[in-house]
Amino acid sequence: MKKEINVKLILDYKKKNKLTIKTFCEQCNICMDTYYCIIKGKRFNIKSLFGIARTMNVTMTQLFNA
């Protein structure tokens, strides 16, 4: 079973806080290429999710679809 990232949660957070992709990436301390890999479902370093979870104030498990 493949676990997928909850992209909707990330996009909703960006929209709610009126963040550009660049600003979101700076806050999460990830590069824009990593952001696009996450959104498109491609391979990326799992460490990037820790930065996103910390910025969004959610747990790592919330970033994964059930």
Side-chain angles (χ1 to χ4, degrees), residues 23-41:
T23 307
F24 178 76
C25 292
E26 288 172 355
Q27 288 181 1
C28 295
N29 203 21
I30 62 172
C31 68
M32 289 175 66
D33 287 337
T34 302
Y35 170 82
Y36 286 117
C37 285
I38 292 169
I39 297 301
K40 293 179 181 178

Side-chain angles (χ1 to χ4, degrees), residues 29-60:
N29 203 21
I30 62 172
C31 68
M32 289 175 66
D33 287 337
T34 302
Y35 170 82
Y36 286 117
C37 285
I38 292 169
I39 297 301
K40 293 179 181 178
K42 295 184 179 179
R43 293 180 59 150
F44 62 93
N45 192 334
I46 194 74
K47 291 181 192 178
S48 305
L49 284 184
F50 287 106
I52 293 173
R54 185 182 66 241
T55 300
M56 293 176 58
N57 198 24
V58 297
T59 63
M60 286 291 288

